């Protein structure tokens, strides 16, 4: 048998939210697949892509600034973060001034708060992974943020991207609608 490198994508939980049964199911299935492949001596990369980037963090941090003033000194629990996230989403959808604050680029304090939120979530996720005996390599969406810039530039120069309402989209000829 030829040894192959295999990538298995795991549960992909969202930062600032508790894991749910869907995450557990895909984690157990992914780990089972990995163990089987490793038994047959394949090189397995156990990647867990977590949702740790985007507007939702601006919303959450802006809301924390307003309702949990000690957020920079005292970490909220994962349950509290999930509740704060739900509250921030309501505000984002209904308060224009809040929305403007939530989508602004962050300074050092905002980036530190984002990192703290990610750390709280990681610790919570890791308790479950440890209990299940699951070993993974984490890759957050933020891992790819700087890497995407060069790829988007290259695809733009090659005229592979199409503008659509401020977004850049690449259509494959196999999936095009005629």
């Amino acid at each position: 048998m030829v040894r192959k490198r295999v990538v298995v994508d795991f549960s992909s939980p969202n930062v600032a939210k508790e894991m749910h049964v869907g995450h557990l199911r895909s984690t157990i299935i992914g780990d089972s697949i990995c163990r089987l492949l490793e038994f047959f001596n394949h090189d397995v990369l156990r990647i867990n892509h977590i949702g740790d980037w985007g507007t939702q963090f601006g919303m959450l941090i802006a809301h924390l600034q307003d309702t949990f003033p000690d957020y920079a000194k005292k970490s909220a629990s994962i349950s509290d973060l999930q509740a704060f996230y739900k509250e921030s989403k309501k505000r984002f959808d209904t308060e224009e001034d809040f929305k403007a604050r939530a989508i602004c680029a962050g300074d050092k304090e905002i980036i530190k708060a984002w990192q703290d939120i990610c750390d709280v979530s990681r610790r919570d996720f890791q308790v479950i992974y440890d209990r299940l005996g699951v070993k993974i390599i984490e890759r957050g969406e933020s891992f790819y943020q700087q890497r995407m810039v060069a790829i988007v530039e290259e695809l733009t120069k090659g005229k592979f991207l199409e503008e659509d309402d401020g977004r850049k989209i690449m259509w494959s000829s196999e999936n095009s609608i005629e």
Side-chain angles (χ1 to χ4, degrees):
M1 178 182 290
V2 177
R3 182 180 170 125
K4 295 182 179 180
R5 175 168 260 196
V6 181
V7 178
V8 177
D9 197 11
F10 272 72
S11 53
S12 304
N14 292 309
V15 167
K17 294 183 181 177
E18 294 175 318
M19 289 178 75
H20 57 71
V21 70
H23 296 122
L24 295 175
R25 181 180 59 242
S26 61
T27 296
I28 292 166
I29 292 168
D31 191 58
S32 298
I33 291 168
C34 289
R35 289 176 189 224
L36 182 65
L37 292 167
E38 289 164 346
F39 177 80
F40 286 107
N41 203 31
H42 292 294
D43 179 22
V44 179
L45 292 174
R46 301 159 159 263
I47 305 292
N48 196 33
H49 288 103
I50 65 168
D52 73 341
W53 193 256
T55 304
Q56 69 270 24
F57 292 97
M59 293 180 341
L60 179 56
I61 293 167
H63 186 67
L64 287 173
Q65 289 171 328
D66 296 344
T67 60
F68 189 63
D70 288 342
Y71 76 95
K73 297 178 188 125
K74 180 183 174 200
S75 296
S77 71
I78 192 77
S79 297
D80 288 340
L81 287 173
Q82 187 160 336
F84 286 137
Y85 173 78
K86 288 178 182 177
E87 293 167 9
S88 73
K89 177 67 171 128
K90 287 179 188 170
R91 291 184 68 192
F92 187 82
D93 292 341
T94 60
E95 299 175 28
E96 287 303 314
D97 61 323
F98 179 79
K99 186 176 192 172
R101 273 193 311 130
I103 59 176
C104 290
D107 57 16
K108 286 182 182 181
E109 179 185 328
I110 301 299
I111 291 176
K112 169 82 170 77
W114 166 69
Q115 290 169 336
D116 289 345
I117 291 167
C118 290
D119 289 343
V120 166
S121 298
R122 276 187 198 99
R123 284 191 300 272
D124 195 69
F125 301 156
Q126 196 58 50
V127 168
I128 294 166
Y129 295 135
D130 288 347
R131 186 172 294 159
L132 295 172
V134 172
K135 305 287 184 228
I136 53 172
I137 299 168
E138 178 189 300
R139 289 287 186 263
E141 294 163 335
S142 60
F143 175 82
Y144 299 98
Q145 189 63 23
Q146 289 303 313
R147 291 162 175 81
M148 289 189 312
V149 173
I151 292 169
V152 170
E153 285 175 6
E154 186 176 327
L155 291 171
T156 301
K157 285 179 189 173
K159 299 187 185 332
F160 292 105
L161 299 180
E162 180 181 309
E163 259 321 294
D164 179 44
D165 206 16
R167 297 171 295 228
K168 295 185 181 206
I169 298 176
M170 185 170 122
W171 301 100
S172 82
S173 58
E174 296 171 9
N175 297 329
S176 63
I177 300 172
E178 305 261 344

